[in-house]
């Protein structure tokens, strides 16, 4: 059944959705839910990542890859921009999910520009 759901879908969008779930749960899992800046940063970014991942699963557009790339970049700089770089757990999860999101978005962009060639 899951094969039917994911048939023709990009694995990159599925990975971004998984990253979104992990990021959303991270304030509770890593113990920084009581600190509003990193917690809300994680929750808002996770909701946006999930939205664009599921939107892209429904109908893929190239601009969505650029938006997820920008969200990944935001996650990398958010600890400094919002001033919670002293919270190691929050900082590291933002870096980790951000870096992985950037990598997967670049992979998706590469796949979009270089579609697989049909085999004869």
């Amino acid at each position: 059944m899951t094969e039917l759901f994911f048939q023709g879908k990009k694995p990159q969008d599925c990975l971004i959705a998984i990253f979104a779930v992990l990021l959303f749960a991270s304030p509770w899992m890593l113990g920084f839910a009581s600190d509003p800046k990193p917690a809300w940063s994680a929750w808002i970014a996770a909701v946006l990542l999930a939205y664009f991942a599921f939107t892209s699963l429904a109908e893929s557009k190239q601009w969505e890859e650029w938006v997820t790339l920008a969200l990944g970049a935001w996650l990398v700089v958010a600890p400094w921009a919002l001033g919670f770089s002293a919270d190691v757990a929050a900082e590291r999860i933002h870096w980790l999910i951000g870096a992985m999101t950037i990598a997967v978005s670049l992979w998706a962009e590469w796949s979009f520009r270089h579609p697989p060639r049909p085999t004869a």
Side-chain angles (χ1 to χ4, degrees):
M1 173 134 180
T2 57
E3 294 168 2
L4 291 174
F5 177 75
F6 290 114
Q7 185 175 2
K9 308 298 183 191
K10 294 185 302 182
Q12 298 95 331
D13 297 321
C14 298
L15 285 172
I16 296 291
I18 291 168
F19 297 162
V21 169
L22 292 173
L23 184 61
F24 192 84
S26 68
W28 294 290
M29 293 182 346
L30 300 175
F32 62 90
S34 62
D35 192 357
K37 285 182 184 178
W40 279 102
S41 173
W43 293 327
I44 292 169
V47 168
L48 290 171
L49 282 175
Y51 173 77
F52 287 109
F54 287 115
T55 301
S56 190
L57 279 170
E59 184 180 353
S60 185
K61 303 282 187 203
Q62 187 175 14
W63 62 268
E64 293 164 340
E65 311 310 336
W66 290 103
V67 171
T68 57
L69 179 71
L71 283 169
W74 166 252
L75 286 170
V76 170
V77 300
W80 295 288
L82 298 177
F84 61 86
S85 60
D87 187 341
V88 176
E91 179 185 51
R92 297 240 170 107
I93 195 67
H94 277 75
W95 285 352
L96 179 65
I97 298 294
M100 291 189 308
T101 299
I102 290 169
V104 170
S105 296
L106 289 173
W107 173 30
E109 180 62 23
W110 174 266
S111 298
F112 190 87
R113 292 179 183 264
H114 301 89
R117 296 182 183 158
T119 55

